[in-house]
Amino acid sequence: MSRRLMRKIRIRPLFAALTLMLLHVVGALILSAQNSPGEPESFRQASEAMRRGDLNAAGEGFEAATKASPSFAPAHFNLGLVREEQGRFDEAIASLQKALSLKPGMHGANLFLGIAYYRTNRFEPAIAAVKKETSAYPKDASAWMWQGVIALAMDHAEDAAAALDKAASLAPDSVDILYHRGQAHLLVSKNSYLKMFKADPKSWRVHQVLAQASAQAERTLDAIAEYQEAIKLAPMQPGLHEELGSEYTIAAKPLEAEVAFQRELEIDPHNVLARYKLGGLAIAQGEGAKAKELIEAALQLKPGLRHADYNLGRAEMLLGNDAAAARHLERATSAPGSDPEVIQQAWYQLGIVYRRLHRMEDAQKAMATFQRLKDAEAENSQKILKRLEAKQNPHLAQPPPSPQNP
């Protein structure tokens, strides 16, 4: 089975519900907009049946309407919608084509014609039809989305990404659009990396990508080895030493990390993250003055660095500036986007600082909050562990059978 068909099989279930929604919405708009005294009675009856969800009656009614008024485009259009929802795609295609021959550019007709072609694996006519819809109605987010989806099924990743970017600009909160946009860009990235590997397998970029992939997979030692190889090939490339230093930090090798960050700053004195992370290492080594200087210098270049208040609070604690430490740590407990673990530790450190400041009631509250957060984290971890065990051993989740009567 081809990759194209495999991708289409994965996409199909995700759009079943969306297709039904589109059919109902567009169908309702057409019906309400075009009901008039001159329409065949069968059309009006079919419209009511469609509103009730009675597809069989709606199909019979619209088919009768097309026979009674062969040149009445809405009857052919709505018959196509019904047949599409019934999964009778060849009939839907014929009806939608007839509607378009009678009324070229009819809103929605090319879109649903394209979807019907897509459902029957005819991607070339599908993309052609949907492109007509996006050309005629460039503000229709659903049409752009389907253009992207069909392009994905055809393995045209860059075309898909462009169409889905347009859809996202028109409907920025659509979950379906955002999902498929992400898939398209992932495929573009994958294709770019494959071309890069083929073009120059010995490039430092190849080692950088492999290092980043290893880092994301938490294979820290592999990431370090790949960054070292990249640096051998491009020793003056900005960013590589900073990334290497980050992996050394995760691997609990602070001396190696410090050397890497310092080398990064020699290459690129404006690398904010290298300077900021050096400050974090200084805190771990108990060097409060150095940590404060580095972190504040980084903040001058890039205000709002993540966890900056927590780290400055720790630096002030090392310097004995407890009042200043308390102010930073108080802000750290409610900083948006902070890691839960950092918030926990901020409360813990705040409890220590409050005790130093003889604010005993505040210290008790801070420690109680720390303990509550820690207990909640442990409880949540246990729940996750139990769910994983239940998935791996389904029989453990089953209650024991009740004893049978002899």
Side-chain angles (χ1 to χ4, degrees), residues 249 254 257-265 272-285 287 290-291 294-295:
T249 302
E258 183 174 3
V259 170
F261 290 139
Q262 290 285 9
R263 179 59 181 148
E264 182 66 40
L265 289 175
V272 174
L273 291 179
R275 195 174 301 278
Y276 183 57
K277 290 174 183 179
L278 270 175
L281 286 176
I283 290 171
Q285 295 164 358
E287 300 178 55
K290 181 179 178 181
L294 286 165
I295 294 169

Side-chain angles (χ1 to χ4, degrees), residues 42-43 45-47 49 54-67 78-79 82-83 86 88:
S42 55
F43 183 88
Q45 291 175 352
S47 301
D54 189 345
L55 294 180
N56 290 331
E60 291 174 3
F62 288 132
E63 192 166 3
T66 62
K67 293 176 181 177
N78 288 338
L79 178 59
V82 172
R83 296 301 183 228
Q86 290 175 322
R88 296 160 63 174

Side-chain angles (χ1 to χ4, degrees), residues 114-130:
I115 294 171
Y117 277 130
Y118 167 83
R119 295 298 194 196
T120 53
N121 301 318
R122 288 175 274 182
F123 300 134
E124 292 293 345
I127 198 75
V130 175

Side-chain angles (χ1 to χ4, degrees), residues 28-263:
L29 288 173
I30 295 294
L31 293 173
S32 62
Q34 301 197 9
N35 283 348
S36 68
E39 293 170 353
E41 179 61 27
S42 55
F43 183 88
R44 287 192 289 271
Q45 291 175 352
S47 301
E48 291 300 325
M50 192 171 184
R51 290 189 183 101
R52 296 194 307 269
D54 189 345
L55 294 180
N56 290 331
E60 291 174 3
F62 288 132
E63 192 166 3
T66 62
K67 293 176 181 177
S69 300
S71 61
F72 185 50
H76 294 281
F77 178 82
N78 288 338
L79 178 59
L81 296 182
V82 172
R83 296 301 183 228
E84 190 152 328
E85 191 161 354
Q86 290 175 322
R88 296 160 63 174
F89 296 115
D90 287 334
E91 296 175 52
I93 289 168
S95 293
L96 292 165
Q97 287 176 331
K98 181 64 176 177
L100 285 165
S101 70
L102 294 167
K103 189 175 181 181
M106 190 177 194
H107 194 181
N110 275 303
L111 171 58
F112 285 100
L113 177 61
I115 294 171
Y117 277 130
Y118 167 83
R119 295 298 194 196
T120 53
N121 301 318
R122 288 175 274 182
F123 300 134
E124 292 293 345
I127 198 75
V130 175
K131 282 184 176 180
K132 289 179 182 178
E133 190 75 19
T134 56
S135 177
Y137 302 96
K139 293 185 179 180
D140 189 333
S142 296
W144 283 107
M145 180 191 70
W146 276 101
Q147 183 172 321
V149 168
I150 296 166
L152 271 176
M154 300 172 73
D155 287 332
H156 297 168
E158 294 188 4
D159 291 342
L164 288 158
D165 284 345
K166 180 66 175 178
S169 71
L170 295 167
D173 297 324
S174 168
V175 174
D176 289 295
I177 291 172
L178 293 172
Y179 171 80
H180 287 281
R181 182 189 183 208
Q183 292 295 307
H185 282 283
L186 282 173
L187 189 58
V188 169
S189 297
K190 179 182 176 182
N191 291 343
S192 294
Y193 293 145
L194 288 173
K195 289 179 181 179
M196 183 179 69
F197 293 154
K198 290 178 182 178
D200 186 0
K202 295 183 179 179
S203 167
W204 68 269
R205 285 289 190 191
V206 172
H207 291 290
Q208 183 187 36
V209 168
L210 292 173
Q212 290 169 344
S214 295
Q216 289 178 354
E218 299 183 354
R219 298 195 304 270
T220 305
L221 296 180
D222 290 341
I224 289 171
E226 292 295 344
Y227 279 126
Q228 289 173 334
E229 290 299 318
I231 288 169
K232 287 179 185 177
L233 295 169
M236 299 300 292
Q237 178 62 36
L240 288 179
H241 288 87
E242 182 263 311
E243 291 178 302
L244 175 61
S246 298
E247 294 306 309
Y248 274 135
T249 302
I250 294 170
K253 296 185 176 183
L255 296 180
E256 292 88 340
E258 183 174 3
V259 170
F261 290 139
Q262 290 285 9
R263 179 59 181 148

Side-chain angles (χ1 to χ4, degrees), residues 288-401:
K290 181 179 178 181
K292 182 179 178 180
E293 179 184 355
L294 286 165
I295 294 169
E296 288 182 340
L299 287 170
Q300 287 180 356
L301 295 170
K302 187 176 180 180
L305 286 166
R306 197 172 183 221
H307 303 145
D309 274 309
Y310 174 75
N311 287 316
L312 280 174
R314 293 293 311 279
E316 296 287 12
M317 286 178 70
L318 290 171
L319 292 169
N321 300 330
D322 293 328
R327 288 193 295 272
H328 284 297
L329 292 168
E330 285 166 353
R331 288 196 290 267
T333 61
S334 58
S338 292
D339 290 334
E341 185 178 353
V342 171
I343 293 175
Q344 278 185 41
Q345 288 301 313
W347 281 109
Y348 178 80
Q349 300 296 336
L350 195 54
I352 294 174
V353 170
Y354 282 151
R355 279 202 297 266
R356 292 181 182 175
L357 293 169
H358 306 292
R359 295 168 56 178
M360 303 311 295
E361 184 177 350
D362 289 335
Q364 290 175 354
K365 290 179 180 178
M367 286 299 184
T369 301
F370 161 73
Q371 192 62 50
R372 177 174 55 79
L373 293 173
K374 187 177 180 181
D375 291 344
E377 181 188 24
E379 182 180 353
N380 187 52
S381 297
Q382 284 297 317
K383 288 179 180 178
I384 293 172
L385 181 60
K386 287 180 180 179
R387 283 199 295 269
L388 289 173
E389 289 176 345
K391 287 181 180 179
Q392 294 172 355
N393 302 287
H395 65 279
L396 295 178
Q398 301 293 330

